Amino acid sequence: MDDFLAARSQMALSLGFHIIFSCIGMVMPFFMAVSHYLYLKTNHITYKHVTKAWSRGVAIFFATGAVSGTVLSFELGLLWPKFMEHAGPIFGMPFSLEGTAFFIEAIALGFFLYGWDKFNKWFHWFTGVVVGISGLASGILVVAANAWMNSPAGFDYINGEYLNIDPIAAMFNDAWFSQALHMCIAAFVATGFAVAGVHALMMLKQQSVDFHAKSFKIAAVFGAIAALLQPISGDISAKFVAKNQPAKLAAMEAHFHTEKAAPLIIGGIPDTDNQTVKYALKIPGALSFMAHSDFNAEVTGLDQIPKENQPPIAITHYAFQIMVGIGVLLMLLSIAYFIALWKKKAWLQQKWLLKLFVFSTPLGFIAVEAGWTVTEVGRQPWIIKDVMRTIDAVTPMPGIVYSFYIFTAVYISLSFIVAFMLYRQIKMVPQLYGSTPSQ
């Protein structure tokens, strides 16, 4: 492994772990706030227990998210100094504001964790809401910085120099809204189904059923609503990519030839040598409609992209297919769950529904990882689209491969520690809140 590949791999590893911690940290406070609100309105003690249990999880992921996010910030400067030299002054504002949001989140979380029976009950609840809002704002601001890499704005690039810098225009670049919307909804989908899946498993085991049933419903409703909204944000994102990053769209769909009424490819194995896709299901005109809202519109193929500017086709295509496939599965499960809530309440007592949620526990995060793979790999070979190539931004410092090995060991260890801490929290539920099947 050369140093360039090691630098990219280390950044991908760090981002891959951090995105899980940050998604949960962004979304869980809203689950916590809902259960807390239900406790204040109904005075049902189980909702208080759920709120306290979830708040411990929020604290765990806040800490791990803060650490992994800090590491990412340092890696930008250490691994990609040329990038930060030029890009830092342009897109530094969202990172600065993200720091402010982080401090607000930390203060609000401290108030919430230690404010039980000390603050006015509604002010205490409000501090939990602030944790969620500030966490979500942090995520949006970081995504705005990444979106700038896909749609650079706020400067003039003249003779290799970055002039007339406008940080506001850079932050609110053309890609920020579609990426932020898609990422925020994805975080709710992934976290909702993951949390619901864990509580569904405990219900199947008949452990503290009332506690886990109430937890399951809150998480499942959030996840299901988000899953049904995700296709809307996906459509917005697809249209933006088609207009501004045709090479990425062509790689996502393994679309080799520019044509009108372009078919949407489902599955398949890209054959780059023969410029075709084997074993794929093709829906005539669907790609043209997805990209341009016109079944007969022309869609740019890879044949119009210089070879040296084409992203890795197979990786981008497979990641996109995984993301969309999982999205469809979770959307179908969401529909089934809402049918159960409104029309077929007997389904809620059936083990098959709970087992489907247990099966879906990791799927949302797999889709998130696949989506970020599409975003990052699909932009290659550019670190700043059409301005700076990734290979030109990497550090000249040797020995990056050893750094990659060390960070791999650290992140794997961290994941086991977090998993153990969450497992211990779940196992403590019967001791803290009762173990009877129903209450």
Side-chain angles (χ1 to χ4, degrees):
M1 181 184 293
D2 60 27
D3 286 334
F4 175 57
L5 181 58
R8 289 186 62 189
S9 299
Q10 182 174 326
M11 201 71 194
L13 175 81
S14 302
L15 180 61
F17 275 94
H18 177 68
I19 199 65
I20 295 176
F21 300 146
S22 61
C23 280
I24 298 174
M26 286 163 57
V27 173
M28 279 294 293
F30 290 102
F31 297 0
M32 180 180 75
V34 169
S35 62
H36 193 186
Y37 176 81
L38 292 173
Y39 165 64
L40 295 177
K41 294 297 289 185
T42 67
N43 205 34
H44 197 306
I45 192 64
T46 302
Y47 285 119
K48 182 178 182 180
H49 294 162
V50 170
T51 304
K52 286 193 170 185
W54 277 349
S55 68
R56 294 187 181 95
V58 169
I60 291 171
F61 282 104
F62 175 82
T64 52
V67 171
S68 59
T70 302
V71 170
L72 272 172
S73 299
F74 282 115
E75 284 180 338
L76 282 172
L78 293 173
L79 299 177
W80 314 102
K82 289 294 184 182
F83 168 70
M84 291 304 294
E85 176 186 352
H86 299 292
I90 304 172
F91 79 151
M93 178 173 284
F95 278 127
S96 300
L97 294 175
E98 191 275 336
T100 302
F102 171 79
F103 285 126
I104 294 172
E105 183 181 6
I107 294 169
L109 181 59
F111 280 172
F112 186 83
L113 292 175
Y114 298 103
W116 288 99
D117 303 320
K118 296 180 177 67
F119 295 138
N120 172 276
K121 64 180 183 179
W122 287 107
F123 175 77
H124 183 223
W125 171 80
F126 178 70
T127 62
V129 175
V130 172
V131 174
I133 293 173
S134 54
L136 196 62
S138 294
I140 292 172
L141 289 164
V142 171
V143 170
N146 178 269
W148 178 84
M149 298 162 69
N150 291 319
S151 180
F155 66 98
D156 294 322
Y157 186 64
I158 302 173
N159 296 326
E161 296 186 14
Y162 298 77
L163 306 174
N164 303 322
I165 293 173
D166 183 350
I168 299 294
M171 184 167 66
F172 295 106
N173 58 81
D174 291 341
W176 85 269
F177 175 76
S178 60
Q179 276 196 221
L181 178 65
H182 198 60
M183 184 62 233
C184 289
I185 295 177
F188 275 93
V189 174
T191 305
F193 278 96
V195 174
V198 170
H199 290 293
L201 179 62
M202 294 300 103
M203 291 167 67
L204 287 171
K205 291 184 176 182
Q206 291 292 297
Q207 294 185 8
S208 304
V209 173
D210 188 53
F211 174 93
H212 290 295
K214 287 179 168 55
S215 304
F216 169 82
K217 185 173 183 179
I218 293 171
V221 168
F222 267 104
I225 291 174
L228 295 175
L229 292 175
Q230 190 67 300
I232 299 174
S233 70
D235 181 67
I236 294 172
S237 296
K239 286 178 169 54
F240 172 82
V241 170
K243 180 181 179 181
N244 294 274
Q245 294 180 286
K248 179 184 287 187
L249 180 69
M252 287 160 55
E253 282 293 326
H255 184 60
F256 289 100
H257 305 289
T258 301
E259 60 181 317
K260 294 182 178 181
L264 180 68
I265 295 176
I266 299 176
I269 300 175
D271 182 348
T272 54
D273 293 333
N274 297 309
Q275 296 192 342
T276 187
V277 183
K278 299 178 180 178
Y279 317 116
L281 173 64
K282 297 184 178 181
I283 304 176
L287 180 59
S288 292
F289 182 80
M290 182 182 77
H292 303 292
S293 300
D294 182 354
F295 284 103
N296 293 311
E298 182 176 270
V299 178
T300 302
L302 290 163
D303 56 353
Q304 297 294 313
I305 311 297
K307 192 76 173 179
E308 65 273 15
N309 292 341
Q310 292 182 7
I313 299 167
I315 295 175
T316 308
H317 176 71
Y318 293 141
F320 180 68
Q321 296 295 312
I322 290 171
M323 179 186 69
V324 173
I326 290 176
V328 171
L329 288 176
L330 295 181
M331 186 173 64
L332 293 175
L333 179 54
S334 300
I335 293 172
Y337 179 64
F338 281 128
I339 291 174
L341 283 179
W342 293 332
K343 297 290 184 180
K344 302 284 186 179
K345 293 190 181 298
W347 289 5
L348 298 173
Q349 309 302 321
Q350 300 296 315
K351 290 185 176 181
W352 64 264
L353 184 62
L354 293 176
K355 288 180 179 179
L356 285 176
F357 273 94
V358 173
F359 172 76
S360 72
T361 301
L363 294 185
F365 285 111
I366 294 173
V368 167
E369 299 286 6
W372 272 104
T373 300
V374 172
T375 298
E376 295 301 296
V377 176
R379 189 181 60 248
Q380 300 306 314
W382 307 101
I383 192 169
I384 307 175
K385 177 181 170 287
D386 297 334
V387 176
M388 179 184 289
R389 290 180 178 271
T390 308
I391 197 168
D392 295 331
V394 72
T395 178
M397 182 179 68
I400 298 300
V401 64
Y402 301 109
S403 173
F404 168 64
Y405 294 147
I406 292 171
F407 272 84
T408 299
V410 169
Y411 274 110
I412 291 175
S413 301
L414 181 62
S415 66
F416 278 111
I417 292 170
V418 171
F420 170 74
M421 294 176 68
L422 293 175
Y423 174 77
R424 189 177 66 174
Q425 290 294 325
I426 295 170
K427 294 293 288 184
M428 288 173 60
V429 167
Q431 302 171 29
L432 295 174
Y433 310 123
S435 58
T436 55
S438 61
Q439 298 177 4

